[in-house]
Amino acid sequence: MNVSVCLAAILFILMVLIGGKKGARSFFALFLNFGVLLITIIIMTIPNTNPIILTLIACTVISCINLFYINDINSKTKTAFISTMITIVILLFFIVITTNKAMIQGFGEEEVEEIGMFSLYIGVDFVKIGAAVIIMSAIGSIADVAISISSSMREVFNHHPLISRKDLFSFGLSIGRDILGTDTNTLFFAFFGGYLGLLIWFKDLSYSFGEIINSKVFSAEMINILCAGIGVALIIPITAWINAYFLVKIRDK
């Protein structure tokens, strides 16, 4: 039994002990999401495939797994799903424009040696591939914020059923502000944790600060973080408004 299997077993036991059935579902959702990403990557390598459309389909499936499979189908997950998809569509248009203008698609000079033996003429649009990568990196955080806000607003509404739509929306924004700082920092430190080796390599190559900032690899990852952070910021008012609208509408009926 290798280390990965041991760690997976420990994670599964802890998730079941702490989360019960929902914890077990969350564990199996990891493998379902991995399967979706793997299939998406395989299909993306097929020539003339549109990565943007494929990414939207993959994000929809991943959102269904993370929201409906783990938390069941209810009013909280429905509004979180709608908010997530609206945010993804808005963010996707923004990311495609940003990726095209920043010209971060393709590979940096630091990666040329590793891929020198392969052919780069594979018939795929690297601009769209770059946009797809950023969206895939952000979908988890966006869905997480959506369900957190939706669940909190539902609890407040259950305890204060006569609350006004404006006050409910303000409460959702208040919850979102608390989540915003921690989630953006999580994205930031995930980058430095994953690319610590790259930063050390930059130091060994005696890169100046300007060369590091202008490096395609570094720029691509920073744009990735910033776009994901924008998505996390956008999902807060969208989820708060949709939840406030539907909860009050259901009460009035």
Side-chain angles (χ1 to χ4, degrees), residues 195-223:
Y195 279 82
L196 184 60
L198 177 64
L199 298 175
I200 294 174
W201 190 23
F202 283 154
K203 175 65 171 60
D204 291 339
L205 293 175
S206 300
Y207 272 34
S208 66
F209 181 75
E211 288 173 325
I212 294 175
I213 295 299
N214 289 287
S215 169
K216 179 180 283 191
V217 178
F218 185 85
S219 299
E221 289 305 317
M222 286 305 299
I223 290 175

Side-chain angles (χ1 to χ4, degrees), residues 95-120:
I95 287 173
V96 170
I97 296 172
T98 302
T99 305
N100 195 20
K101 294 292 184 181
M103 294 186 293
I104 58 171
Q105 68 275 8
F107 302 95
E109 60 182 12
E110 295 83 7
E111 302 166 303
V112 171
E113 183 178 348
E114 299 176 3
I115 62 173
M117 66 183 73
F118 301 106
S119 173
L120 300 181

